[in-house]
Amino acid sequence: MAATITQERITGRGWAVLFVLCGAIFLEGIDVSMMGVALPSIRAELGLATGELQWIVSAYALGYGGFVLLGGRAADLLGRRRMFVGWLAIFLMFSGLGGFATEGWVLILARFVTGIAAAFMTPAGLSIITTTYTEGPQRDRALLVYAGTAAGGFSLGMVTGGLLSSIDWRWVFFAPVLVSAIVLAGALALIPRDVRTPGPRHGFDIIGTLTLTGAMMLLISTVVRAPDVARGQTVGTGIAGLAVLALFILIERRAKSPLVRLGILRNAGLVRANLGAILLVGSFVGFQFVAVLYLQELRHWSELETGLALMVIGIDSVLAPTLTPWLVKRFGNPRVVFGGFALATLAYAAFLPLKADWTYTAMLPAFILLGLAFALTYGPLTIAATDGVPENEQGLASGVLTTSFQFGSALGLAVVAAVLTATDVLTVDRFRAGLVVPLIAAVLGLLIAGRGLLVIARPREVSRTS
């Protein structure tokens, strides 16, 4: 465990450590979104169908979501720095492998292993923050900067992906190798070595680990395979995943040292934050998939033109670490999250009337609103998902949140892909039908955020009547 920084303000070394961790989460965010813009170019060279194309993104989500809770627990038990540095190196290697792929299955395999690496690296990095910076204003500031960097990477990746794909789509894989090498050097130099805490150290819940990982992989596989033709097989996979998940719950109830303490789910704020994370990222990834295919395959825009068109969404990379902390301090997390989902709802609704000859001016309001929505929502959800969680379970809470982000990504992409592939030809009407999915997700997020506002309002009402 890293030494805790106890000052209220973040020190110079604290900022240096945070910069390294932000570099890793920026890498993870940009890696995911760059892929979305590069998909048409990859399809053209490797000859993949629309249903197969989603597996390039979904394989990553499958590896990520299937192993991330194990990654969070491994960070708590085996050392956060050790997990962060080791799996960052694996992330680097397999990202490079994807760049050399000449067949679709090699590319999908590389994405799957890269996702596993991110599943161990990301919760370790987040839990380093939550155990290094003092809970309160200092930790909130660090988390908002960290989450803002992630959101910025996620949105700026669309621009970067367009620029790199205009040269060669393989640079979408090679560029993260260069960034990973820089972050790895910084991590080795700046992140303190893990300190063994006193007291008994329990081993892994091996059976629980295997059943949970198996259940997560089966369930996420069910989601990402939803658009496939083999509907009966997909349903069978889903039933099997639910059965294994039920077995995991039974195991955890009896385990002396459970992988996941089920009582952590009694934290209503944590549950609301994770549901919000699923809906936020799911709607965003689904929207990105529709927007990219609309611009490149219906409008025949180039990768560079598509990336530049979506660049305005990257406004969150500026606002998330600057405006959002002030808003959270002024109005509190629940109100800021509610406002973010309200803006997301407006963004998707504004894009819904798209036409075959829409001008960029007509699209721009939706892109600006979406950038604002991401800036207001991503960071506060991260705070809510880890606030009040004991230090020895910060890795677990981080893993649960990361699972929600990845499951939401897979779910949003799969549902949108299923809608788009319902007919053989991609038309404007089909794109509009696909846009209904992120709109519904944003509305659900707004309702959940509203529930959080009611929860914080009730204590005030009680205090007024007492």
Side-chain angles (χ1 to χ4, degrees):
M1 183 179 62
T4 302
I5 298 174
T6 56
Q7 296 94 335
E8 184 174 346
R9 300 177 62 86
I10 299 177
T11 64
R13 183 174 181 83
W15 279 113
V17 172
L18 183 60
F19 180 78
V20 169
L21 297 172
C22 285
I25 199 63
F26 180 83
L27 171 68
E28 191 269 337
I30 201 173
D31 181 79
V32 172
S33 57
M34 281 196 305
M35 208 59 55
V37 180
L39 288 178
S41 298
I42 296 172
R43 184 226 291 272
E45 182 168 333
L46 301 184
L48 300 176
T50 301
E52 297 172 318
L53 197 63
Q54 65 133 356
W55 276 98
I56 296 175
V57 177
S58 298
Y60 181 89
L62 184 62
Y64 205 149
F67 286 88
V68 70
L69 284 177
L70 175 60
R73 190 60 174 156
D76 289 335
L77 294 178
L78 301 180
R80 297 175 177 111
R81 181 184 187 272
R82 184 180 294 113
M83 290 293 100
F84 180 81
V85 169
W87 287 98
L88 176 59
I90 295 173
F91 187 99
L92 182 156
M93 291 186 290
F94 277 86
S95 183
L97 175 63
F100 290 109
T102 56
E103 296 185 28
W105 71 267
V106 176
L107 185 58
I108 292 170
L109 175 64
R111 294 298 293 164
F112 178 69
V113 179
T114 304
I116 294 175
F120 284 85
M121 176 184 74
T122 304
L126 181 54
S127 60
I128 287 174
I129 290 179
T130 57
T131 56
T132 298
Y133 302 92
T134 306
E135 185 171 1
Q138 186 191 79
R139 183 186 295 179
D140 288 352
R141 177 67 176 174
L143 284 173
L144 287 170
V145 171
Y146 180 80
T149 304
F154 204 70
S155 54
L156 289 176
M158 292 183 286
V159 183
T160 307
L163 292 171
L164 295 176
S165 297
S166 65
I167 303 171
D168 191 322
W169 65 262
R170 297 181 185 279
W171 276 103
V172 170
F173 291 87
F174 293 144
V177 172
L178 301 177
V179 177
S180 299
I182 295 171
V183 175
L184 183 60
L188 290 171
L190 293 170
I191 298 178
R193 293 187 178 275
D194 300 304
V195 178
R196 187 182 293 267
T197 55
R201 289 177 60 85
H202 301 290
F204 278 108
D205 174 13
I206 300 298
I207 298 177
T209 297
L210 294 176
T211 53
L212 176 61
T213 301
M216 291 300 302
M217 293 186 69
L218 285 169
L219 291 172
I220 293 176
S221 179
T222 301
V223 171
V224 300
R225 293 175 64 183
D228 291 351
V229 177
R231 304 292 182 181
Q233 187 177 356
T234 301
V235 172
T237 304
I239 293 173
L242 292 174
V244 177
L245 182 61
L247 177 61
F248 165 75
I249 293 173
L250 291 175
I251 291 171
E252 295 304 283
R253 288 182 179 276
R254 299 183 178 183
K256 295 181 179 179
S257 158
L259 175 68
V260 177
R261 186 180 65 83
L262 299 179
I264 197 173
L265 300 179
R266 296 192 187 102
N267 185 328
L270 180 146
V271 173
R272 282 194 301 273
N274 280 272
L275 290 174
I278 291 172
L279 295 167
L280 174 69
V281 176
S283 63
F284 185 90
V285 172
F287 174 80
Q288 180 191 4
F289 192 65
V290 172
V292 168
L293 291 180
Y294 165 73
L295 292 174
Q296 292 192 28
E297 303 211 346
L298 187 68
R299 302 293 301 277
H300 305 293
W301 290 21
S302 68
E303 296 92 338
L304 178 58
E305 289 172 327
T306 301
L308 292 175
L310 299 173
M311 178 173 64
V312 68
I313 300 177
I315 192 175
D316 68 326
S317 63
V318 176
L319 298 179
T322 54
L323 176 64
T324 305
W326 180 85
L327 291 174
V328 168
K329 185 176 180 180
R330 176 68 177 82
F331 300 105
N333 257 5
R335 291 186 179 87
V336 175
V337 171
F338 184 85
F341 273 114
L343 290 175
T345 301
L346 292 174
Y348 301 134
F351 207 77
L352 194 58
L354 85 165
K355 300 176 182 178
D357 58 349
W358 244 22
T359 63
Y360 182 66
T361 304
M363 305 178 205
L364 188 58
F367 295 154
I368 294 175
L369 288 170
L370 188 54
L372 291 171
F374 222 73
L376 295 184
T377 314
Y378 195 100
L381 285 175
T382 303
I383 293 175
T386 56
D387 197 23
V389 177
E391 183 174 318
N392 66 336
E393 290 185 329
Q394 284 291 331
L396 173 60
S398 302
V400 171
L401 178 65
T402 308
T403 299
S404 296
F405 281 135
Q406 292 307 310
F407 189 79
S409 174
L411 180 62
L413 180 61
V415 176
V416 168
V419 173
L420 294 182
T421 56
T423 58
D424 295 332
V425 181
L426 291 176
T427 63
V428 173
D429 288 339
R430 187 51 44 190
F431 283 122
R432 288 197 197 104
L435 287 169
V436 173
V437 176
L439 178 59
I440 292 174
V443 171
L444 291 175
L446 190 62
L447 294 175
I448 291 172
R451 173 67 178 172
L453 287 176
L454 291 175
V455 169
I456 64 170
R458 282 173 185 166
R460 293 180 179 177
E461 293 176 359
V462 171
S463 63
R464 288 174 182 173
T465 58
S466 59

